[in-house]
Amino acid sequence: MNSSAQFLNASEAARRLGVSAKALRLYEQRGLIDPLRTSAGWRAYGPDQMARAAEIVSLRALGLSLAQVARVLEGDSASLEAALATHQADLEGQAERLAATIDRVRALRSGLARGQAPVAGELRRMVGPADPTGIAFDLPWPWGGERFELNEIRPITYITGPLGSGKTRLARAIAASLPKAAYLDIDRGPDAQSGPNAPIEAAMTWLVEDGAVVSDALRVLLHAVEEIEPAALVVDLIEQGLDQASQEALMRYLRRRKPDDKPVFILTRSSSILDLACVGPNETVLFCPANHSPPKVVAPYPGSPGFEALASCLAPPDVRARTEGVVAMRPNSA
């Protein structure tokens, strides 16, 4: 290859595209992109490959599954039309909310011109979220009753830690502190789901096209995620009963949800669920240390406080399967 400056390695290509190198490998595995190879066998992305990858990233941002992306790239516009209709509806909703905010600003300015000051809380409601979210409570055993606070609840929050760290108790306490939250226990089964409906079937179709395997465990999760009533969802060991492909597809599905969808708290020890290289700005990682110091938010990059301990308690599904059902021994808390 000449003009080597035009060609990027996988990590640089991923950085410019705003995705992970793992995502690029997935596109390659599904036949969506075919990177060049250097004489040493390394992947290289030239202008044509980058243009193709950028198209894929844009289609994924619209919510298309990998199979739908493939069909669109082959000239089938049906999937793209549906995705664009959904995107248009989202934009119109944002425009309506923005127009309402502009009306409130106009009314406030008009009141100020008449010498009328805003009432208490009116400015905060205008410039901040409609319902500021956060949780605060005293930690249960095995902690010493320390205060726990999470001031910002993002769409996805991971809860993890080694065996016996108290992460399940933290997850239950979070569910109890959130109004109208649902807690999906690890002992879930087919009876935890309601009857079939269009949103669940559409979600299952998307997941299967993205590589997931249909199972009762996956269907139960989808019912919990798509259920309208709960304002938040806390899931104990979300990877339970799911193979690696299903875990990875599930996380891709959860990341495509809108920011105003109900937040999901995910208890996990699987690196396919909590892939530290893929954690985005709308995700938080809560880590429960082995020494029972208070749970803390850990930034998902090497060198940040707590990162090494966090990474050490995550493992691929095949490794996690060896410790399935193991419960850490603990003294009677009574």
Side-chain angles (χ1 to χ4, degrees), residues 125-147:
R125 288 191 296 272
M126 182 185 67
V127 301
D131 295 303
T133 56
I135 49 177
F137 52 85
D138 292 335
L139 287 165
W141 186 90
W143 295 282
E146 299 97 325
R147 191 70 172 168

Side-chain angles (χ1 to χ4, degrees), residues 169-208:
R169 289 175 180 260
L170 175 65
R172 290 184 179 277
I174 288 174
S177 70
L178 288 168
K180 296 183 180 179
Y183 184 85
L184 190 59
D185 194 89
I186 193 172
D187 296 323
R188 49 191 177 262
D191 57 343
Q193 58 179 284
S194 57
N197 59 58
I200 277 87
E201 294 310 312
M204 183 64 80
T205 298
W206 192 98
L207 282 160
V208 170

Side-chain angles (χ1 to χ4, degrees), residues 57-254:
V57 171
S58 297
L59 291 170
R60 292 289 276 173
L62 288 173
L64 273 66
S65 68
L66 290 171
Q68 289 171 326
V69 168
R71 291 197 291 269
V72 171
L73 293 175
E74 291 169 359
D76 181 359
S77 61
S79 296
L80 181 58
E81 165 57 29
L84 288 175
T86 300
H87 188 56
Q88 178 180 333
D90 291 341
L91 291 174
E92 289 171 347
Q94 294 175 30
E96 290 175 2
R97 291 190 290 272
L98 181 58
T101 301
I102 292 172
D103 288 342
R104 289 197 296 272
V105 172
R106 186 180 293 114
L108 287 173
R109 292 184 64 196
S110 177
L112 286 173
R114 298 191 304 268
Q116 180 181 344
V119 299
E122 198 165 6
L123 287 175
R124 180 191 59 77
R125 288 191 296 272
M126 182 185 67
V127 301
D131 295 303
T133 56
I135 49 177
F137 52 85
D138 292 335
L139 287 165
W141 186 90
W143 295 282
E146 299 97 325
R147 191 70 172 168
F148 173 80
E149 294 184 4
L150 185 63
N151 295 322
E152 180 184 7
I153 298 179
R154 293 175 176 167
I156 299 176
T157 301
Y158 304 93
I159 303 171
T160 191
L163 287 171
S165 62
K167 56 187 179 295
T168 301
R169 289 175 180 260
L170 175 65
R172 290 184 179 277
I174 288 174
S177 70
L178 288 168
K180 296 183 180 179
Y183 184 85
L184 190 59
D185 194 89
I186 193 172
D187 296 323
R188 49 191 177 262
D191 57 343
Q193 58 179 284
S194 57
N197 59 58
I200 277 87
E201 294 310 312
M204 183 64 80
T205 298
W206 192 98
L207 282 160
V208 170
E209 289 186 339
D210 233 49
V213 176
V214 176
S215 65
D216 286 338
L218 184 57
R219 193 171 293 278
V220 168
L221 285 171
L222 287 182
H223 275 275
V225 169
E226 298 296 338
E227 197 71 38
I228 296 175
E229 181 60 28
L233 175 65
V234 182
V235 184
D236 190 354
L237 279 188
I238 194 169
E239 62 263 27
Q240 188 78 2
L242 304 181
D243 64 6
Q244 182 168 344
S246 298
Q247 291 180 33
E248 293 173 352
L250 176 64
M251 291 313 303
R252 290 192 291 270
Y253 176 77
L254 292 178

